[in-house]
Amino acid sequence: MQVLFKSRHPQATELRDLAERRVRFVLRRLGWLVPRAEVQMSDVNGPRGGIDKRCQVELRTDGAGSVVVTSVATDWRTALDNALARAARFLMRLWRRGNDSRRFRQRLIGHDR
């Protein structure tokens, strides 16, 4: 899996290695479905502070197209973890939905015999 990291903020660029490790860890079981992941970190309010650290995770999948998830939190790590958790849940839902429809079709075909 190719992991790309984009950020203009100096503190966020220090998290490059952490972000790549977290993406690989969270998507370790779904890595075959996601050939490319892109993580973008930005500070919405700038130096004013507040709940303004934004993490956007874009996953390019083989079957479902592109999945984009955004999370906003008070710190970079929380924003990254929340976005990755939401993305993983969404991918699992898509994968299960695909498997369920295949199983359903196989059951219908089996009943026709």
Side-chain angles (χ1 to χ4, degrees):
M1 174 184 355
Q2 179 183 18
V3 180
L4 301 173
F5 183 84
K6 294 181 181 178
S7 179
R8 292 185 176 181
H9 199 276
Q11 285 179 333
T13 55
E14 295 171 2
L15 296 173
R16 177 185 306 270
D17 293 334
L18 173 73
E20 288 181 16
R21 282 195 318 266
R22 292 295 301 153
V23 168
R24 291 184 196 286
F25 180 77
V26 170
L27 300 176
R28 67 192 177 277
R29 293 183 179 161
L30 298 170
W32 57 273
L33 187 62
V34 182
R36 182 176 172 176
E38 188 173 311
V39 178
Q40 293 181 9
M41 298 246 187
S42 60
D43 193 353
V44 178
N45 289 337
R48 288 183 285 182
I51 302 175
D52 65 341
K53 308 298 191 253
R54 186 173 76 93
C55 177
Q56 179 176 331
V57 176
E58 180 178 356
L59 305 175
R60 308 263 170 92
T61 63
D62 286 335
S66 189
V67 175
V68 180
V69 177
T70 303
S71 176
V72 179
T74 56
D75 61 311
W76 300 107
R77 176 70 188 256
T78 305
L80 175 66
D81 286 343
N82 290 345
L84 287 174
R86 288 179 60 202
R89 278 194 309 268
F90 185 77
L91 282 177
M92 282 300 294
R93 211 174 311 129
L94 282 177
W95 182 73
R96 285 183 182 146
R97 201 176 293 155
N99 282 346
D100 289 344
S101 66
R102 278 189 227 123
R103 273 191 232 124
F104 183 69
R105 272 187 256 132
Q106 287 174 350
R107 279 190 218 137
L108 287 177
I109 291 170
H111 286 293
D112 289 341
R113 293 181 189 170

